[in-house]
Amino acid sequence: MDSEVGPLRAVLLHRPGNELKRLTPRNNDKLLFDSIPWVSRAQQEHDAFAEVLRDRGVEVLLLADVLRTALEDQRAHAAGVHAAVDDRRLGNDLADSLRSHLTSVDAPTLAEVLMAGMTFEELPSAEGASLVRMMHNPRDFAVDPLPNLLFTRDSSAWIGDRVAISSLTMPARRRETALLDLIYAYHPRFRHAARAYGAHSAPIEGGDVMLLSPGVVAIGVGERTTPAGAESLARSVFADGLAHTVVAVPIEQSRATMHLDTVCTMVDVDAVVMYPLARDSLTAFTIKPTGDGGVKVAGPAPFLEAAAEAMEIDRLRVIDTGLDPVTAEREQWDDGNNTLALAPGVVVGYERNAETNERLTAAGIEVLPITGSELGSGRGGPRCMSCPVRRDPR
């Protein structure tokens, strides 16, 4: 996979499940959701999103299905149990009891625990006293749920024929890494896939990784991806021959701009949809290999100029997310910039971003609108909710 816009052939999605039913006003901030989603409606919206992709010839892989299949391998099952049980949280005795229980369950049951978590009242009964169990509220989590699994772009990203397993920054998301790690290691479809980046490396998230063109990778650096993560990924893709240029893009460290793809996304081979306030202020450092294993860094320069130069084009066409500042800010918050390209000039976007969609259409981009009133409660659009596994060359 060498671009963001080549015809999409296969994608990994996660249909919202019981993990979203774990969200309450008491824990939604910690679990990185801005509101409590109506789960059944979110599932309907996600099913419609998946159907739009299938109607365009895209193979849709659902994370829960591939996780269950991977866990049929006993090595993956053991890795899943290890990922679920935190001795520091539970104490040795309770951890051993839970570990023994999960070792005995089948793959679908373990997959559900890994995704939806487990409360203390759901723990298997155990003999003897446990201060840990007694001092926790029965509805506290012994195994945290993973409601952000919905955003499959962040936990892994494909670059060329290799997969980069993200090193997720926020505590609420770190266990996602282990799930994707075992899926790519043990699912029959992926077990021979080479790795582009290690999950235990410096922090980087897939929402910050953008394949601007063959050989050119942009990496956002902000709330979720560190400078060390960007440099580490750059060195990795250079060593593997996956890129000749990396463009590191500093972005504001805020909830509204948590990843590069909340600021802009590719909608054609030479076009991006972009938040107007970032258009002139966004800068970039250009990183290239030196040939002896090192790197050289230039900049900063205006992002649009640095990107166009790296892509060897005259300029990047920019489609703004609104003409007036209020509309632009509203539609940026509602993921107007966060589109998923199915082919050059064909994107999926939330229907509520009416002005952005009109501007895309006027620029010759076909917009396939989907409903996202509940899906967007975790601050993510169609690109966030999809991990392309295979694209044709653009």
Side-chain angles (χ1 to χ4, degrees):
M1 187 151 45
D2 63 5
S3 79
E4 293 288 323
V5 297
L8 184 60
R9 298 304 180 202
V11 67
L12 180 66
L13 307 181
H14 177 61
R15 185 177 189 266
N18 289 328
E19 67 280 352
L20 287 189
K21 295 180 180 179
R22 302 290 203 178
L23 291 168
T24 69
R26 183 167 56 92
N27 66 27
N28 68 301
D29 284 345
K30 178 182 176 183
L31 294 174
L32 308 180
F33 270 69
D34 292 324
S35 62
I36 310 301
W38 180 5
V39 178
S40 61
R41 179 60 59 85
Q43 290 172 331
Q44 293 170 12
E45 292 174 356
H46 195 274
D47 290 344
F49 172 42
E51 198 57 33
V52 166
L53 302 185
R54 294 189 183 102
D55 287 346
R56 291 296 177 118
V58 180
E59 179 188 9
V60 174
L61 306 172
L62 295 178
L63 187 145
D65 293 340
V66 296
L67 177 60
R68 284 189 286 265
T69 299
L71 290 172
E72 295 290 348
D73 187 300
Q74 288 304 306
R75 295 167 298 175
H77 196 285
V81 172
H82 177 76
V85 181
D86 185 346
D87 291 67
R88 291 174 299 175
R89 172 181 293 191
L90 301 177
N92 291 340
D93 290 345
L94 197 55
D96 287 344
S97 174
L98 178 57
R99 193 175 290 112
S100 177
H101 168 71
L102 293 178
T103 298
S104 69
V105 304
D106 59 16
T109 303
L110 179 58
E112 183 65 14
V113 172
L114 289 171
M115 294 183 293
M118 178 178 278
T119 63
F120 278 88
E121 65 183 353
E122 294 167 342
L123 289 173
S125 58
E127 296 180 2
S130 169
L131 180 65
V132 178
R133 189 193 290 262
M134 293 174 66
M135 292 192 68
H136 274 282
N137 185 296
R139 289 175 293 281
D140 287 344
F141 294 118
V143 181
D144 283 333
L146 298 176
N148 294 280
L149 280 174
L150 174 64
F151 306 118
T152 55
R153 175 76 61 156
D154 296 335
S155 46
S156 66
W158 288 77
I159 305 173
D161 60 352
R162 294 172 178 257
V163 62
I165 307 294
S166 300
S167 178
L168 295 163
T169 303
M170 307 301 279
R173 302 200 65 178
R174 286 176 188 159
R175 199 163 52 79
E176 292 178 45
T177 294
L179 269 62
L180 272 296
D181 217 1
L182 68 85
I183 284 171
Y184 288 123
Y186 297 109
H187 190 281
R189 180 170 183 141
F190 302 120
R191 63 167 55 124
H192 298 300
R195 303 296 177 91
Y197 192 72
H200 303 293
S201 303
I204 193 162
E205 300 195 0
D208 282 317
V209 178
M210 198 169 294
L211 309 182
L212 296 180
S213 66
V216 181
V217 180
I219 304 175
V221 179
E223 184 188 47
R224 306 295 180 87
T225 295
T226 66
E231 182 175 327
S232 294
L233 180 58
R235 291 177 180 274
S236 178
V237 296
F238 293 154
D240 293 334
L242 301 175
H244 57 74
T245 306
V246 167
V247 180
V249 187
I251 55 176
E252 182 183 355
Q253 298 192 35
S254 72
R255 179 69 168 151
T257 57
M258 70 184 85
H259 292 125
L260 180 59
D261 67 8
T262 64
V263 176
C264 69
T265 49
M266 297 286 295
V267 295
D268 206 340
V269 294
D270 64 345
V272 294
V273 58
M274 192 169 190
Y275 183 37
L277 291 181
R279 179 175 183 157
D280 297 325
S281 62
L282 213 59
T283 61
F285 294 86
T286 299
I287 309 170
K288 290 180 176 288
T290 59
D292 58 1
V295 297
K296 55 185 177 181
V297 182
F303 164 69
L304 293 173
E305 293 179 13
E309 182 178 348
M311 297 167 69
E312 298 182 343
I313 59 176
D314 290 337
R315 66 182 182 90
L316 264 176
R317 291 189 292 136
V318 178
I319 302 154
D320 293 333
T321 52
L323 291 173
D324 68 272
V326 173
T327 299
E329 186 175 2
R330 283 172 57 87
E331 298 206 1
Q332 189 274 335
W333 178 255
D334 285 336
D335 300 298
N337 305 296
N338 197 264
T339 59
L340 170 67
L342 303 191
V346 181
V347 302
V348 180
Y350 280 147
E351 65 179 1
R352 66 184 178 219
N353 296 308
E355 186 165 324
T356 298
N357 294 343
E358 289 175 6
R359 293 175 65 77
L360 285 165
T361 301
I365 307 299
E366 181 184 1
V367 180
L368 305 176
I370 63 169
T371 303
S373 61
E374 298 302 316
L375 289 177
S377 59
R379 299 265 64 81
R383 187 182 192 272
C384 288
M385 294 188 296
S386 55
C387 175
V389 171
R390 184 166 64 89
R391 288 186 185 271
D392 290 343
R394 62 179 198 176

